[in-house]
Amino acid sequence: MNLSGIIGYPVTPFSENNKQVNLAQLGDVIDTLLEAKVDAIAALGSAGEAAYLNDDEWQQVADYTVKHVAGKVPVIIGIAELTTDQAVKYAQYAHHIGADMIMLSPFSYYKLSEAEIFQHYEAVSSASPLPIMVYNNPATCGVDMSPEFMLNMVNNILNASMIKESTGDIERMHKLYSLSEGNVPFFNGCNHMALEALNAGASGWCTAAPCLIGDKPKQLFEAVRNGESDKAQKLFYQQYEFLEFIVSSGLAAAVKSGLSLQGKAVGNPRKPLLPLGKLAQQQLQGMLSNLT
């Protein structure tokens, strides 16, 4: 599967009492991403509060996303589970509902060895034919995989075909590109590194930013792809403060607050996460006024 460009991340809207997922509002968020010209949609990532959903809710969001997107762009389903059995279950479900790919993170309480991580990915690959994006996000998942190890998995596990790197270390991007001689697609998952990562050969950028700022990320991607370095730099620095803000404030809280400020109510993040305070909302409002 050839994939490049902007992979958009929807938040998961909840009802007013946070007791259930609001699927109609999820559809509105997905439509917002499609209008922002994203090249794929990745449900059930960090922005989607996947870790705070029960089994039924997780399956509802995955199923609804695939149906609502209806083939307009590829749908990627995020999977980050403590046990291999649960990851296998979700990978099989993603295939069953017609998703195009899974984005698989090793999520851990105990420190995992490379042998344990390898078997985790191998088991998921054996259970589902979907392409796997190997996702390295140690800040969230507690597991850090080296570029060499991730490339080894891509080379030796049947369905592992691309990588998402989110440590914020540009040297890892350079290693992924040079060690694979540019043959293994990798994606940037660190918002404030978007320009550097794309210039380092990243195939695309995974971000929730299009939920709030439309096609600005897509414009940046296309400027880099077209060799318009001055335009790309200008576009990046227009977004830079906002990109840093939504990460430092918590993606789910920041994006949900931003949508609310834009008149698109999607509820609060699920506790223990808290919505943005008044001062942070004012800061966000000011940034959005300059970007939309």
Side-chain angles (χ1 to χ4, degrees), residues 82-253:
L82 276 171
T83 68
T84 299
D85 284 349
Q86 185 72 352
V88 163
K89 174 184 171 182
Y90 280 167
Q92 290 173 331
Y93 187 78
H95 177 238
H96 171 71
I97 62 175
D100 299 284
M101 178 180 290
I102 56 176
M103 184 179 295
L104 181 62
S105 310
F107 191 85
S108 184
Y109 177 85
Y110 290 107
K111 183 176 175 62
L112 298 178
S113 68
E114 288 189 347
E116 289 168 330
I117 298 168
F118 190 96
Q119 69 80 29
H120 182 74
Y121 277 84
E122 196 169 46
V124 172
S125 177
S126 297
S128 166
L130 292 180
I132 296 171
M133 180 182 287
V134 177
Y135 181 16
N136 191 42
N137 187 11
T140 299
C141 295
V143 179
D144 191 5
M145 299 179 285
S146 69
E148 292 86 351
F149 176 66
M150 289 190 287
L151 289 170
N152 178 55
M153 289 201 293
V154 169
N155 290 330
N156 291 287
I157 295 176
L158 179 62
N159 294 314
S161 58
M162 56 190 69
I163 292 167
K164 177 183 173 186
E165 167 57 40
S166 296
T167 59
D169 181 357
I170 193 63
E171 292 302 318
R172 297 190 183 213
M173 305 271 184
H174 294 312
K175 278 194 173 183
L176 288 170
Y177 188 88
S178 61
L179 290 173
S180 71
E181 298 181 343
N183 291 319
V184 175
F186 64 92
F187 289 76
N188 171 54
C190 189
N191 276 309
H192 70 271
M193 275 181 53
L195 181 60
E196 289 176 282
L198 292 172
N199 282 327
S203 297
W205 172 19
C206 303
T207 178
C211 289
L212 298 176
I213 61 171
D215 69 347
K216 291 285 195 303
K218 184 62 177 288
Q219 290 179 37
L220 172 57
F221 172 79
E222 290 183 340
V224 173
R225 184 176 60 181
N226 294 334
E228 300 171 304
S229 57
D230 290 345
K231 180 179 179 181
Q233 187 177 58
K234 182 179 179 181
L235 284 163
F236 175 68
Y237 284 112
Q238 285 175 353
Q239 303 171 50
Y240 179 72
E241 182 184 10
F242 164 79
L243 295 172
E244 276 205 319
F245 178 89
I246 61 173
V247 174
S248 63
S249 301
L251 277 175

